[in-house]
Amino acid sequence: MSQETYHQHETQKEKHVEDHIGDEIRKVKEQEEREAHGFHEAIGDEIAHEKKAERRQQDETDAALTETADTILRGE
């Protein structure tokens, strides 16, 4: 193997390693982005669930107050 061929081979090998490292870094970043998105989505779901529970509780409270007011107005 001539010196020039050896140098080309080493250069290609270095490029291949750099490409591989770049690919691995991209994979990790993509995984982190997916995990972050899933985390934010889960928090959004929890907030929506909590708001729904609060509305349900408020509806129950309103219904109980209405029933109490009706009972008082009827004189029972």
Side-chain angles (χ1 to χ4, degrees), residues 9-22:
H9 174 74
E10 287 300 308
T11 302
Q12 287 177 348
K13 194 165 69 171
E14 287 174 10
K15 172 94 171 84
H16 177 74
V17 169
E18 288 172 2
D19 289 347
H20 182 72
I21 291 170

Side-chain angles (χ1 to χ4, degrees), residues 29-57:
K29 285 182 179 180
E30 288 173 1
Q31 179 65 29
E32 288 172 350
E33 288 174 5
R34 280 193 298 276
E35 288 172 1
H37 178 72
F39 178 73
H40 289 132
E41 197 171 88
I43 288 177
D45 290 347
E46 283 185 37
I47 290 170
H49 180 71
E50 187 65 31
K51 286 182 179 181
K52 187 175 179 180
E54 288 173 5
R55 282 192 301 271
R56 186 180 318 115
Q57 181 63 41

Side-chain angles (χ1 to χ4, degrees), residues 62-74:
D62 291 347
L65 289 173
T66 300
E67 185 178 327
T68 301
D70 288 345
T71 301
I72 291 171
L73 290 173
R74 286 192 307 261

